[in-house]
């Protein structure tokens, strides 16, 4: 198992404090666990006006979004992505109104350059920056095979990482946005392609260490509801849900991710996109909205070949 395509980039994201991405700094680390469990989206909507009162009269107004103090425009983007689930990548969805941005930095001396992708959403004419975006995916919480001596074949599965599955066309669309926004082509590092189903499996990282907000898991309240009528209840973190045998299935829904980039360069010169050069991406799953389980996607049960 390849724990992370580029572990230094994962570390950089973990340490990116709580500065707002709207100001060009590091992204806010959103903690959905601040919300009491099982508060539905309908209840959240009813509380929005009270929660989002301005708490700072300075040039950048700060507001509360689910217990997180963020800039007003960032709160608009958070509602857009997490609450309203708009501008997600997925099958038969309209092209998302979002622009990708990346600022590479060099935290080590080995010539590797790293950066977090930021996403600028066009929300009714307002351009709002955010460090997160959503995709239609299936999240695999199925148990994995073990060696005959009882050791896990896929180490820390369900704790520090999981597989998420998505159509090849969805990933290709995502890569095209990376190319348009940053100039970089994207490698296939950290993905597994299944030509029989035309699906791609991505190794998605999970925050799990002390002090990190663990990814939240939300289930639909009414499975017969559609569109704007759908509401969700938070039932725990991904790690907590993964411990319950009846939840150890493939869940279909929307995954919300932060994304980091790694590019090979030289210690003294920042790399720029050139023909033939590729960037590696690392996806970190920060929240799941599921509307049920599916038996139509066969889960990976052992360490597969990583390459196409």
């Amino acid at each position: 198992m390849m724990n992370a395509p580029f572990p230094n980039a994962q570390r950089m994201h973990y340490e990116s404090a709580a500065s707002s991405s709207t100001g060009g700094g590091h992204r806010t680390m959103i903690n959905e666990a601040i919300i009491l469990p099982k508060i539905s989206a309908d209840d959240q909507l009813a509380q929005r006006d009270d929660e989002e009162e301005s708490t700072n009269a300075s040039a950048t107004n700060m507001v509360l979004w689910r217990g997180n103090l963020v800039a007003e425009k960032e709160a608009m983007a958070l509602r857009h992505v997490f609450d309203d689930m708009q501008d997600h990548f997925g099958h038969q969805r309209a092209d998302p109104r979002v622009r990708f941005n990346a600022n590479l930095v060099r935290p080590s001396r080995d010539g590797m350059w790293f950066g977090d992708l930021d996403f600028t959403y066009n929300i009714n004419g307002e351009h709002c920056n955010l460090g997160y975006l959503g995709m239609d995916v299936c999240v695999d919480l199925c148990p994995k095979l073990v060696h005959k001596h009882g050791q896990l074949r896929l180490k820390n599965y369900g704790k520090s990482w999981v597989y998420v599955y998505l159509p090849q066309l969805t990933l290709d669309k995502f890569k095209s946005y990376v190319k348009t926004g940053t100039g970089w082509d994207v490698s296939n590092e950290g993905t597994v392609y299944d030509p029989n189903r035309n699906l791609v499996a991505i190794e998605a990282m999970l925050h799990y260490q002390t002090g990190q907000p663990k990814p939240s898991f939300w289930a639909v309240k009414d499975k017969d509801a559609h569109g704007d009528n759908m509401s969700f209840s938070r039932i725990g973190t991904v790690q907590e849900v993964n411990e319950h045998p009846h939840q150890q299935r493939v869940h279909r829904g929307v995954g919300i991710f932060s994304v980091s980039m790694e590019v090979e360069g030289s210690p003294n010169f920042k790399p720029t996109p050139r023909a033939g050069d590729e960037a590696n991406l690392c996806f970190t799953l920060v929240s799941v909205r599921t509307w049920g389980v599916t038996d139509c996607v066969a889960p990976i049960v052992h360490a597969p070949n990583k390459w196409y």
Side-chain angles (χ1 to χ4, degrees):
M1 154 58 191
M2 179 175 52
N3 283 333
F6 39 100
N8 288 335
Q10 184 186 8
R11 174 180 55 80
M12 177 182 66
H13 175 66
Y14 285 163
E15 296 173 354
S16 60
S19 303
S20 171
S21 62
T22 57
H26 292 302
R27 69 188 48 162
T28 302
M29 295 190 72
I30 295 301
N31 187 358
E32 287 193 300
I34 290 175
I35 308 172
L36 292 176
K38 300 187 178 179
I39 295 181
S40 71
D42 289 341
D43 296 330
Q44 295 155 26
L45 287 170
Q47 295 171 6
R48 273 188 191 169
D49 291 339
D50 293 333
E51 283 190 338
E52 292 169 6
E53 293 178 354
S54 174
T55 61
N56 192 329
S58 63
T60 301
N61 288 332
M62 304 298 288
V63 298
L64 283 173
W65 178 83
R66 301 192 181 182
N68 299 274
L69 189 63
V70 298
E72 191 171 17
K73 289 189 71 172
E74 187 173 10
M76 182 185 300
L78 288 165
R79 294 196 306 268
H80 189 71
V81 174
F82 284 79
D83 298 335
D84 302 331
M85 297 196 299
Q86 297 297 307
D87 285 325
H88 291 174
F89 286 79
H91 181 59
Q92 295 182 339
R93 285 185 181 267
D95 288 349
R97 296 164 297 175
V98 59
R99 184 176 71 248
F100 288 26
N101 316 281
N103 182 28
L104 296 176
V105 296
R106 182 174 56 85
S108 62
R109 297 183 180 181
D110 60 0
M112 303 306 297
W113 292 70
F114 307 95
D116 291 331
L117 287 181
D118 284 321
F119 311 101
T120 303
Y121 293 90
N122 183 348
I123 306 173
N124 299 323
E126 292 274 1
H127 292 87
C128 305
N129 293 341
L130 192 66
Y132 307 98
L133 98 168
M135 292 193 292
D136 290 343
V137 296
C138 290
V139 179
D140 181 3
L141 299 185
C142 296
K144 304 307 173 188
L145 293 179
V146 298
H147 288 301
K148 62 182 179 180
H149 298 299
Q151 297 181 354
L152 290 176
R153 189 184 297 267
L154 299 178
K155 186 177 180 180
N156 288 329
Y157 190 83
K159 177 184 178 182
S160 65
W161 70 284
V162 293
Y163 280 122
V164 297
Y165 308 122
L166 68 161
Q168 178 70 58
L169 289 175
T170 300
L171 183 59
D172 288 344
K173 174 69 71 174
F174 179 89
K175 288 182 176 181
S176 73
Y177 274 63
V178 176
K179 174 70 172 179
T180 299
T182 71
W184 289 100
D185 291 309
V186 178
S187 75
N188 296 318
E189 182 80 10
T191 65
V192 182
Y193 177 55
D194 183 348
N196 296 320
R197 298 176 296 168
N198 203 26
L199 289 178
V200 179
I202 294 176
E203 299 176 5
M205 301 298 106
L206 304 174
H207 291 313
Y208 70 97
Q209 295 178 352
T210 302
Q212 297 174 348
K214 295 181 176 62
S216 58
F217 195 97
W218 298 67
V220 68
K221 294 182 66 178
D222 182 359
K223 294 183 179 181
D224 295 325
H226 298 282
D228 294 338
N229 295 322
M230 299 183 72
S231 62
F232 297 81
S233 295
R234 184 182 183 277
I235 61 175
T237 67
V238 171
Q239 290 90 340
E240 290 169 344
V241 172
N242 184 59
E243 292 177 355
H244 296 281
H246 70 280
Q247 297 283 11
Q248 293 175 351
R249 306 279 299 279
V250 176
H251 297 260
R252 57 189 180 89
V254 172
I256 300 174
F257 301 86
S258 63
V259 187
S260 299
M261 173 184 287
E262 176 199 58
V263 177
E264 185 175 0
S266 65
N268 299 320
F269 297 97
K270 185 176 182 177
T272 56
R274 297 178 301 177
D277 291 344
E278 293 181 325
N280 300 329
L281 298 182
C282 177
F283 292 82
T284 299
L285 183 64
V286 300
S287 189
V288 177
R289 304 292 189 274
T290 177
W291 46 78
V293 300
T294 178
D295 295 322
C296 297
V297 176
I300 294 174
V301 294
H302 56 83
N305 184 356
K306 301 274 187 259
W307 314 110
Y308 279 50

